[in-house]
Each structure stands twice: as structure tokens, then as C-alpha cells.
Amino acid sequence: MAGIEIDDTTADTLQALADAAGLPLDAYLAQVAEEKRRERALADGAEIFRRVTGDPETVAAFDAEYGGPSSPARASQAA
């Protein structure tokens, strides 16, 4: 791995994981990095969602602008 020094045990483990995935090591590490970026983005999005939906004023403003969720009784009558 260019410019990165890791111990032999870690290198062997990473190579075994890449082999099991049927990928060259560099492609496997790129895939893992992309998966970790997606996980981080989802975690960040979830945190923002919790903050926004936890604020009653924000929820009320959203409902006023876009309409709140329909009640279950109304939804079943429409169906």
C-alpha cells in the first residue's frame, strides 16, 4: 500500500478480506472507504433529522407549508 505502513497481521487480514470479496486489495479498500463514507453521511443525516423533527416549531412550520400527515381515519376513507 503506497505510503501507508501497517503491520503484517493487519496487511494479511486485509488481503484475506479482499481475496474473499474477489477484489484486488486496492479496489477492496476503495470499496470499504466508500461504504464508510456512506455510513457517515447516513449517520449525519439521521442526526440532522432527529434535531429538526425534535423541534416542534420546525415540525409545525413544515406542516403549515406542506400539509401535515393525514389522519389514519381520513386515509382509510380515501382508500
Side-chain angles (χ1 to χ4, degrees):
M1 288 189 269
I4 299 174
E5 291 185 30
I6 57 172
D7 62 85
D8 290 340
T9 302
T10 302
D12 292 345
T13 299
L14 290 171
Q15 187 61 59
L17 290 167
D19 292 344
L23 297 170
L25 183 56
D26 60 341
Y28 176 76
L29 292 174
Q31 178 180 313
V32 169
E34 182 57 31
E35 289 171 1
K36 292 301 176 185
R37 278 191 288 272
R38 272 189 248 124
E39 288 174 9
R40 182 74 252 154
L42 286 171
D44 290 348
E47 177 57 32
I48 292 166
F49 177 80
R50 285 187 202 95
R51 270 188 278 151
V52 169
T53 59
D55 176 19
E57 290 178 14
T58 302
V59 173
F62 179 87
D63 288 348
E65 181 70 24
Y66 299 104
S70 57
S71 69
R74 228 186 270 170
S76 64
Q77 289 174 357

